[in-house]
Amino acid sequence: MRRTKALLIGINYHQPNPSFNSWGPLSGPHRDVRRMLEFLSLTPWTYDEIRTLTDEADPTKVYRNNIIENLEWLVEGSSPRDSLLLHYSGHGYQRPTRSPTEDDGFDE
């Protein structure tokens, strides 16, 4: 049986977080998640299970452990015929790579 699952993450960073104190708040990630939900409802591709994670009502929903737990949910038991979608909107980060596979020398 083919499974379809989506995980949509939007982090605005409005709550202070000592781990990311140099990053300012964003205004678009929550909107991006709502737009992606709308887009998915209008396309011929249907997803049987959709989870959303935002810091809109509860900043702890987007803490590292919860994101990892939901990523594990997304891929657990998956097979080559499944359709899995991950959407992320929030700050990104580059760091020097340990592998020579990146032309710019950074992992994103």
Side-chain angles (χ1 to χ4, degrees):
M1 181 173 104
R2 183 173 182 263
R3 296 181 331 153
T4 55
K5 296 165 80 173
L7 175 59
L8 314 177
I9 304 170
I11 308 174
N12 277 8
Y13 303 92
H14 285 294
Q15 299 293 324
N17 184 332
S19 300
F20 305 109
N21 59 2
S22 64
W23 293 358
L26 299 172
S27 61
H30 298 163
R31 181 184 60 241
D32 293 345
V33 167
R34 288 190 294 272
R35 286 184 175 173
M36 183 58 84
L37 278 169
E38 181 182 350
F39 170 76
L40 291 176
S41 73
L42 299 173
T43 65
W45 307 288
T46 57
Y47 285 83
D48 298 324
E49 298 177 75
I50 300 175
R51 287 189 181 181
T52 61
L53 297 179
T54 70
D55 57 350
E56 197 163 24
D58 179 5
T60 64
K61 287 185 82 175
V62 296
Y63 281 5
R64 181 180 187 273
N65 290 345
N66 199 38
I67 291 174
I68 290 171
E69 181 180 306
N70 279 273
L71 288 169
E72 290 170 350
W73 164 83
L74 182 65
V75 299
E76 74 184 11
S78 64
S79 69
R81 291 185 39 99
D82 294 344
S83 292
L84 308 177
L85 172 71
L86 171 63
H87 169 85
Y88 171 80
S89 183
H91 283 297
Y93 182 71
Q94 285 187 313
R95 68 179 195 169
T97 185
R98 295 183 201 165
S99 167
T101 59
E102 295 288 337
D103 291 337
D104 66 358
F106 288 94
D107 287 328
E108 285 80 28

